[in-house]
Amino acid sequence: MARVLCVAAVQDGRIKRSSLEVLTHFRQLCDRSGGAVEAVVLDPQPNQFVDTLQKYGASRIFLVAGDAFGQHLNEPVVRALESVFRQSGADAIAFASTESAKDVLGALSVRLGAAVLSDVADVDVRDGDWVATRPVMAAKRHARTKALTTPVIVSVRAGSYVASEAPAEADVVEVSFSDDEQARRPEIREVLVALGGTVDLSEATVVVAAGRGVKDNEGRQLIEELAEVFKAPIGATRAVVESGMYPATSQIGQTGKVVSPDLYFAIGISGAIQHVAGMVNSRVIVAINKDPDAPIFQYCTYGLVGDLYKILPSLTEELRAAVAG
Amino acid sequence: MRFCVCIKQVPDVAAPVHTGRMVLNAYDASAVEEAIVLKEKHGGTVDLVLVGPSGATETIRKALAMGADDAYHIIAEDHDKLDSFAIASMLAGFFEGREYDVIACGKQAQDTDAGLTGPMLAEMKGLPYASNAVGLDIEGDRLVVTRQGDSGQEILVLSPPCLVTCSNDMNDPRIPNLRGIMAAKKKTIESLPMDQVGGNVSPRSQTIDVFDPPGREPGVMLDGEPNEMAGTLVNKLANEAKVI
Amino acid sequence: MEERFDCIVVGGGIAGLSAAMVLARANKRFLLIERGEFCGAKNVSGGVLWGSDLERLVPGYSTDADAGFERFVGHRRLTFLDDQSSFSLDFKSGHFHETPFSGVIVLRARFDEWLATKVQEAIDASSVADESFLATNVLVDRVIQEDGRVTGIQAGEEQFFADCVILAEGVNNLLTRQVGLQPDYVPADHVAVGVKEVIGLDRTVVEERFQLDGLAGMTNEFVGYATAGVEGGGFLYTNRESVSIGLVLGMKDLREKRVKPYDILNDFKSHPAVADTLRGGEVLEYSAHVVSTGDMGSMPKQLYGDGVLVVGEAGHLLMNSGRAIQGMDYAMRSGILAAETVVEAAADVDFSSSSLRRYEQALEASFVMKDLKGFQDAVHLLHDPIMYEKMPAVLCDFGRSFFTVESEPTEKAIKSFRKAAKKHLTTWELVRLSAKAAKSL
Ligand SMILES: Cc1cc2nc3c(=O)[nH]c(=O)nc-3n(C[C@H](O)[C@H](O)[C@H](O)COP(=O)(O)OP(=O)(O)OC[C@H]3O[C@@H](n4cnc5c(N)ncnc54)[C@H](O)[C@@H]3O)c2cc1C
Ligand SMILES: Cc1cc2nc3c(=O)[nH]c(=O)nc-3n(C[C@H](O)[C@H](O)[C@H](O)COP(=O)(O)OP(=O)(O)OC[C@H]3O[C@@H](n4cnc5c(N)ncnc54)[C@H](O)[C@@H]3O)c2cc1C
Ligand SMILES: Nc1ncnc2c1ncn2[C@@H]1O[C@H](COP(=O)(O)O)[C@@H](O)[C@H]1O
């Protein structure tokens, strides 16, 4: 095993859980076979994350401060990561598979001459060989893919591993970053942040997801009440995002986010393969659909055939009582 | 503006695996659609390039029938062995000496979901890029991209030449009409042998095998009146699945 | 700009593609329009294409490993079922292995698409390669008529014109009705529902389980318990890596008995004689489609008009005699004959109905109409409850006593048969059945 540099993604002032999962996984791999796991944070004020990263066992922490990192923009991120990587002498960079990571993997790999294993569900290193399992064909199949060159860049789907602490003393290295005004880069005109729950879908332990069966404000209300019981974020299918009922950030599936909570409610969702691709790894799936032949029932743990407008009121009430009691 | 859309032929993921039907990658179809809409609105041209086996011409024709202008087919018979890096390298070779304002890619290929080719190509060509676009517009000589990020949308302004990768959430690609289909047949598809675009690049990753994921345990279907089902479910969630 | 073709073919099923092949070879400028995303996308069929017309359309297909068929018919079986037993007539013969094959088992999604590529090759080789088109994913909304003559078609906002239109739209023949060749109302007892599942199995499992050699395949028709007392029959055909299993059920009887085809299919699949052959398989596809019964009462009054020809199942050219369903071979032959008529009419520059009548004459002279007429009694016999309810019971009872060896004096076969017949049939029914059967088969 070698040295792996984990990129710690920051959202809403904290390190994303999915990044900590990645850090944990590589820490454990390194513990078993020798090697070291390091972390890097890009942020206007990266120092605030040192404690967390130490807690999860990073042996060296690179801090890159820069106002440019207040918002996501690919060019400065690629440039900063390239320089940290060269300075660290690591053999690999690992990301949590977020939209921001997807934005930079390809470009960074060209800069570093690296092989990329993107959006993997599992990754292992044996005798120096990096082999990942990747869901393909909208998660209908899994592929085992091997990196043929080094260094290696890998991005891991949220929920693939469980984050656990293993406090360590880390060397903290501050890396200077100067904004290059000459760089050819997109210019940010505006950032529209979706108003939604504060819980990130890919980190939630319970997700309540709505599909086209949720037709109106009354349906939305029922979904919200159910979500409220668990303080769960609300996910959605492409169909209801398209209709404007839910923001695009709540879309779950091949195009949207991948989630794997302990409990997933699929409500008024048909179970199209592209949606299933994003939720099939949830531990327990409850499906409510009035069509007994809806494909979602092939994936669910518990299936309720019926009208969501009739089922949800009593279900929410029972759940509220059970959770409270 | 002069657009060139990189299109890929992929197996139809929605069809049963055994049929092996090949289709135009849905994300690329959205990129083609968006480029054609901009062409209709602001003028310009939309070309296509595909790396793939000779059998992929039908897929190119389909995109031409939507209203694209010229098409290039880089012939790669065992295309399956190529990873995003090898494809991006060939595309970079292809774009050498060709002038486009915007190169558009899909945000990912529907079959591999790699999502790498676009940003790799941008870096190889030294172009500014934006990924996961859900909206495109032209303002003067600049391209305005609405990008779907982790927690919201970012509106970015790019100066051509530049590259953008497109989400299928951007639009519903048109279904070609008869005139489009007929016109497409008369358009030429220029085929280029792989080595003409530097096709000897070695891939950096390799798929060893592909298998069915472990299936889920068959679920339990609940019957009865809404309140009965609710009661049974809560009981099972608490005592059987132990998630609440 | 007015686009004009020699011919427009509506529908890219077997009938339409067969017509297109002939037109392409004759260097005609034509437009074939299919509403499915690709040819075959919308087509359901149990799957045996009988006869040797395919060899005529695509010479040498039988030696092409990539040809669109699954297996050739190498083994045939007709099975009578009661609730637990089966009695089969089984026929296997070396002559089945000779080419051209007497029948090939097909999965339409694959076969039609393959046939379309062959048509495309024929277009590319023709002298008007750039002026003939196979267009998919386009729905023809209506036929354009001027002064009672068909002159073209409309799809969405677009109109296209031709000397002649061939309607190959299949059993749900809205355009044939629009031009007035078929009354809007087809009685429910003239249509049936076909349901089918494709069950995936490993290739080696298919070949071992059905004892198939190479690309040989088996066809099995079923009469009796398969349909749970509903008029109709069942079928099972072996594909390369799957089997097709299904039922064809009388629409009227289904309605009257208030049963769902899907439920009957599930019962059929769990019959001991069938379940064994499907063990371990995974359902890959389920589909349902209306199918004609072969009752000539449902046919259009005429298969041609001014500037228009009707082919395949759009003309209700189908026969279900119990031994086999024949719709694809009829579709193929009628498509060929219609296109040949168009080529002749073009030479005469006459597309009036009196010129296009030649098509119906050619069809009359062919096996299509000869069989359809000759086997009408068989078709009616199949609709007789004696046939799908009682006959299987008789045969299975007979089988039980004939094949069961007990420590008792053994009964002579004829005696067992009489006993079984007597138990299930009145003398009158027996007489009626034998008379009908003798006449019809
Ligand atoms: C390349 C590609 C990528 C895609 N990516 C995604 C993705 O990331 N995420 C995604 O979700 N989709 C995605 N899709 C779209 C996907 O194919 C489906 O169209 C979509 O998931 C359907 O959403 P739905 O289940 O809400 O709607 P529908 O399929 O319309 O299903 C609605 C369901 O609600 C049920 N229903 C209706 N009324 C009631 C009621 N009163 N009570 C109970 N049930 C009711 C109906 O029976 C039906 O099953 C993608 C498609 C493509 C081609
Ligand atoms: C379950 C089942 C089992 C069967 N088994 C057998 C068998 O074993 N052997 C056999 O010989 N036959 C069998 N048949 C019958 C056989 O499938 C049909 O007779 C045959 O498909 C008829 O061919 P066709 O080309 O006339 O029509 P179709 O195959 O129905 O093709 C018509 C085509 O026209 C298209 N179309 C229709 N309207 C329009 C429009 N307005 N615009 C554009 N396109 C249009 C349709 O999409 C379709 O592709 C079976 C049928 C069923 C349902
Ligand atoms: N063989 C190819 N030919 C042309 N473009 C391709 C090819 N493969 C990938 N692309 C482009 O790159 C995008 C992302 O592909 P991928 O990196 O494989 O997920 C696709 O949506 C296409 O725009």
Side-chain angles (χ1 to χ4, degrees):
Chain A
M1 188 67 192
R3 251 174 332 126
V4 182
L5 180 65
C6 294
V7 180
V10 174
Q11 193 173 323
D12 299 331
R14 37 180 210 100
I15 305 276
K16 280 176 86 98
R17 195 183 73 180
S18 45
S19 293
L20 298 175
E21 290 165 4
V22 176
L23 186 59
T24 306
H25 177 63
F26 282 104
R27 185 192 75 221
Q28 289 166 346
L29 277 185
C30 290
D31 284 352
R32 245 180 284 143
S33 49
V37 62
E38 308 180 340
V40 51
V41 203
L42 315 180
D43 194 73
Q45 288 153 332
N47 324 45
Q48 53 180 319
F49 304 109
V50 169
D51 285 351
T52 310
L53 293 172
Q54 295 206 35
K55 226 190 293 174
Y56 283 85
S59 64
R60 197 152 53 137
I61 300 171
F62 294 90
L63 303 177
V64 191
D67 290 338
F69 306 125
Q71 292 164 323
H72 172 78
L73 195 57
N74 51 40
E75 192 276 338
V77 173
V78 171
R79 198 148 44 83
L81 289 178
E82 181 190 6
S83 93
V84 171
F85 181 79
R86 297 209 187 281
Q87 191 172 333
S88 77
D91 308 275
I93 302 190
F95 290 83
S97 192
T98 60
E99 219 41 81
S100 306
K102 288 179 188 174
D103 193 30
V104 300
L105 291 181
L108 183 62
S109 75
V110 172
R111 291 253 182 127
L112 300 181
V116 195
L117 302 170
S118 66
D119 216 25
V120 309
D122 187 25
V123 56
D124 200 359
V125 190
R126 269 171 211 255
D127 308 327
D129 277 347
W130 287 68
V131 178
T133 304
R134 310 186 56 248
V136 294
M137 299 291 289
K140 265 203 293 204
R141 309 264 288 157
H142 282 181
R144 278 201 314 144
T145 306
K146 181 177 155 184
L148 298 177
T149 52
T150 48
V152 176
I153 300 180
V154 58
S155 70
V156 182
R157 292 182 152 211
S160 300
Y161 304 110
V162 178
S164 69
E165 297 181 6
E169 248 340 279
D171 290 341
V172 176
V173 185
E174 292 190 16
V175 178
S176 68
F177 177 79
S178 64
D179 223 354
D180 176 0
E181 296 301 333
Q182 302 305 312
R184 286 183 65 88
R185 69 161 73 145
E187 164 195 314
I188 300 187
R189 175 180 288 178
E190 203 180 340
V191 177
L192 310 166
V193 176
L195 296 175
T198 44
V199 194
D200 190 329
L201 270 176
S202 47
E203 304 195 351
T205 49
V206 180
V207 170
V208 175
R212 214 198 306 258
V214 177
K215 292 195 178 64
D216 46 21
N217 277 332
E218 186 196 339
R220 256 167 72 162
Q221 188 67 37
L222 292 173
I223 294 288
E224 260 163 51
E225 284 165 11
L226 174 57
E228 184 51 37
V229 173
F230 299 99
K231 303 269 180 288
I234 295 174
T237 63
R238 174 154 180 248
V240 284
V241 167
E242 212 171 24
S243 74
M245 200 181 270
Y246 293 97
T249 41
S250 52
Q251 182 166 321
I252 291 172
Q254 191 178 19
T255 303
K257 294 197 163 81
V258 175
V259 302
S260 50
D262 290 335
L263 179 56
Y264 187 90
F265 287 93
I267 301 182
I269 292 176
S270 61
I273 179 85
Q274 296 91 351
H275 179 77
V276 171
M279 48 69 82
V280 69
N281 284 330
S282 305
R283 191 157 81 75
V284 173
I285 297 171
V286 173
I288 303 180
N289 196 306
K290 66 176 181 192
D291 172 8
D293 295 327
I296 191 73
F297 290 129
Q298 292 163 21
Y299 306 96
C300 71
T301 323
Y302 301 112
L304 283 69
V305 179
D307 185 346
L308 68 95
Y309 287 85
K310 298 209 176 95
I311 296 175
L312 281 187
S314 32
L315 180 60
T316 301
E317 197 177 311
E318 297 251 4
L319 282 170
R320 197 180 290 129
V323 171
Chain B
M1 283 189 185
R2 293 159 301 174
F3 277 82
C4 187
V5 187
C6 305
I7 59 172
K8 183 182 183 188
Q9 185 188 44
V10 296
D12 182 356
V13 297
V17 177
H18 71 282
T19 61
R21 273 198 53 73
M22 303 300 284
V23 295
L24 172 61
N25 182 26
Y27 300 93
D28 303 350
S30 281
V32 173
E33 173 66 27
E34 203 65 15
I36 290 171
V37 167
L38 291 176
K39 170 177 119 168
E40 285 165 352
K41 214 155 87 182
H42 301 275
T45 53
V46 178
D47 290 354
L48 307 170
V49 59
L50 174 141
V51 183
S54 3
T57 11
E58 280 317 301
T59 295
I60 302 179
R61 290 248 181 254
K62 218 170 149 190
L64 282 172
M66 291 171 72
D69 299 291
D70 294 329
Y72 302 89
H73 185 174
I74 300 167
I75 308 284
E77 294 303 349
D78 51 359
H79 165 261
D80 286 352
K81 296 207 179 67
L82 303 173
D83 67 348
S84 300
F85 173 75
I87 297 285
S89 305
M90 274 190 237
L91 290 172
F94 166 80
F95 283 110
E96 200 58 54
R98 292 179 209 265
E99 297 210 341
Y100 287 103
D101 297 306
V102 182
I103 298 175
C105 290
K107 87 152 179 161
Q108 66 204 51
Q110 248 173 310
D111 54 346
T112 64
D113 286 336
L116 296 167
T117 307
M120 283 177 167
L121 175 58
E123 183 60 36
M124 290 171 186
K125 305 300 300 173
L127 301 176
Y129 70 94
S131 69
N132 203 16
V134 291
L136 284 190
D137 206 355
I138 292 172
E139 279 180 22
D141 58 358
R142 308 221 287 170
L143 186 75
V144 181
V145 181
T146 305
R147 163 176 198 279
Q148 184 64 47
D150 285 304
S151 50
Q153 295 185 339
E154 298 145 18
I155 299 176
L156 305 172
V157 183
L158 283 85
S159 298
C162 60
L163 183 145
V164 59
T165 80
C166 300
S167 165
N168 65 326
D169 289 343
M170 183 147 61
N171 52 42
D172 286 318
R174 69 193 64 192
I175 292 167
N177 62 13
L178 284 166
R179 287 212 160 68
I181 294 169
M182 285 158 54
K185 204 166 165 195
K186 302 205 166 109
K187 293 174 188 165
T188 48
I189 299 175
E190 189 180 324
S191 42
L192 306 167
M194 247 166 76
D195 39 356
Q196 202 171 316
V197 293
N200 49 355
V201 182
S202 310
R204 288 182 180 169
S205 64
Q206 179 196 353
T207 294
I208 313 166
D209 57 2
V210 182
F211 53 94
D212 287 334
R216 290 186 69 92
E217 291 280 307
V220 179
M221 300 297 287
L222 310 183
D223 282 332
E225 288 301 306
N227 53 349
E228 287 172 51
M229 281 196 278
T232 320
L233 178 64
V234 172
N235 187 5
K236 285 187 182 291
L237 289 178
N239 302 319
E240 199 174 85
K242 300 194 182 358
V243 276
I244 57 171
Chain C
M1 177 179 74
E2 185 180 292
E3 315 273 345
R4 222 188 145 72
F5 291 92
D6 297 328
C7 185
I8 292 174
V9 182
V10 182
I14 291 187
L17 289 169
S18 304
M21 184 69 99
V22 172
L23 292 172
R25 295 241 170 85
N27 299 308
K28 292 291 160 209
R29 301 168 59 252
F30 71 92
L31 171 59
L32 178 144
I33 308 172
E34 164 59 44
R35 71 180 163 165
E37 220 180 298
F38 55 95
C39 287
K42 301 225 166 200
N43 288 334
V44 178
S45 164
V48 188
L49 169 57
W50 296 105
S52 53
D53 278 351
L54 183 57
E55 180 65 30
R56 233 173 106 186
L57 279 185
V58 187
Y61 83 90
S62 53
T63 52
D64 176 1
D66 286 333
F69 70 99
E70 292 291 312
R71 291 177 180 277
F72 66 87
V73 175
H75 183 180
R76 298 202 57 188
R77 189 182 281 166
L78 174 63
T79 302
F80 296 85
L81 294 179
D82 70 4
D83 58 346
Q84 46 166 322
S85 313
S86 62
F87 187 97
S88 297
L89 298 172
D90 191 291
F91 186 68
K92 208 169 180 173
S93 163
H95 91 274
F96 278 143
H97 290 248
E98 289 157 18
T99 55
F101 300 130
S102 66
V104 287
I105 301 170
V106 302
L107 285 171
R108 294 290 297 280
R110 177 156 169 255
F111 181 78
D112 289 14
E113 199 183 20
W114 168 78
L115 193 55
T117 61
K118 292 290 153 187
V119 173
Q120 187 60 55
E121 285 169 17
I123 292 175
D124 293 341
S126 77
S127 64
V128 286
D130 284 344
E131 292 163 87
S132 288
F133 305 92
L134 297 184
T136 56
N137 224 347
V138 176
L139 173 77
V140 174
D141 294 302
R142 74 181 185 96
V143 172
I144 302 170
Q145 283 172 290
E146 291 165 26
D147 308 326
R149 268 184 59 83
V150 169
T151 56
I153 58 91
Q154 175 152 356
E157 306 280 284
E158 301 176 294
Q159 294 194 335
F160 291 89
F161 297 90
D163 292 334
C164 179
V165 172
I166 294 180
L167 296 177
E169 55 181 334
V171 63
N172 192 10
N173 56 1
L174 300 178
L175 303 177
T176 308
R177 294 175 203 195
Q178 188 216 318
V179 300
L181 289 174
Q182 163 122 35
D184 276 341
Y185 175 73
V186 178
D189 55 352
H190 288 180
V191 276
V193 181
V195 290
K196 184 189 121 187
E197 275 181 5
V198 178
I199 313 241
L201 291 166
D202 281 345
R203 188 175 184 137
T204 48
V205 172
V206 174
E207 289 173 2
E208 275 165 25
R209 198 169 281 180
F210 294 91
Q211 301 174 354
L212 304 173
D213 180 15
L215 274 189
M218 189 193 71
T219 70
N220 196 167
E221 278 76 23
F222 294 86
V223 182
Y225 188 79
T227 59
V230 175
E231 154 189 347
F235 57 81
L236 185 154
Y237 304 128
T238 55
N239 302 314
R240 290 190 189 190
E241 297 178 357
S242 60
V243 297
S244 296
I245 180 161
L247 300 167
V248 176
L249 302 161
M251 183 90 92
K252 183 160 167 257
D253 215 29
L254 269 178
R255 274 193 203 146
E256 281 168 3
K257 298 194 166 121
R258 291 172 179 279
V259 274
K260 285 206 199 127
Y262 187 65
D263 295 336
I264 307 181
L265 182 58
N266 273 335
D267 280 356
F268 174 42
K269 277 166 58 189
S270 55
H271 188 285
V274 178
D276 284 350
T277 60
L278 304 178
R279 211 178 330 108
E282 177 200 357
V283 179
L284 300 177
E285 268 169 40
Y286 168 77
S287 46
H289 201 271
V290 171
V291 57
S292 325
T293 55
D295 191 315
M296 290 181 69
S298 62
M299 280 183 62
K301 56 182 189 239
Q302 186 170 298
L303 294 173
Y304 59 93
D306 281 322
V308 64
L309 293 166
V310 182
V311 299
E313 227 184 316
H316 285 274
L317 298 176
L318 180 134
M319 187 166 68
N320 185 354
S321 64
R323 273 190 313 180
I325 308 171
Q326 290 177 263
M328 294 190 270
D329 52 341
Y330 288 12
M332 192 165 268
R333 178 59 70 87
S334 61
I336 293 172
L337 295 177
E340 286 172 354
T341 304
V342 171
V343 174
E344 286 172 32
D348 301 348
V349 207
D350 181 2
F351 293 91
S352 67
S353 77
S354 56
S355 163
L356 297 183
R357 227 182 116 229
R358 270 178 284 195
Y359 161 57
E360 206 165 276
Q361 288 163 347
L363 207 56
E364 293 281 349
S366 75
F367 70 92
V368 176
M369 293 312 290
K370 288 201 168 130
D371 283 358
L372 257 176
K373 287 186 177 153
F375 284 86
Q376 277 298 292
D377 288 330
V379 170
H380 292 143
L381 178 62
L382 207 66
H383 297 203
D384 194 321
I386 300 180
M387 193 63 192
Y388 56 88
E389 282 175 353
K390 301 199 167 165
M391 195 56 196
V394 172
L395 288 171
C396 287
D397 265 6
F398 166 69
R400 257 190 297 278
S401 71
F402 185 80
F403 289 109
T404 308
V405 179
E406 281 168 323
S407 311
E408 299 274 335
T410 304
E411 209 168 46
K412 277 274 164 52
I414 185 71
K415 201 167 161 207
S416 308
F417 187 80
R418 282 211 194 101
K419 246 194 193 163
K422 237 170 139 180
K423 186 166 143 206
H424 295 282
L425 296 168
T426 62
T427 317
W428 165 236
E429 280 174 328
L430 199 59
V431 171
R432 192 158 61 102
L433 184 68
S434 351
K436 269 196 174 180
K439 201 166 118 213
S440 62
L441 300 169

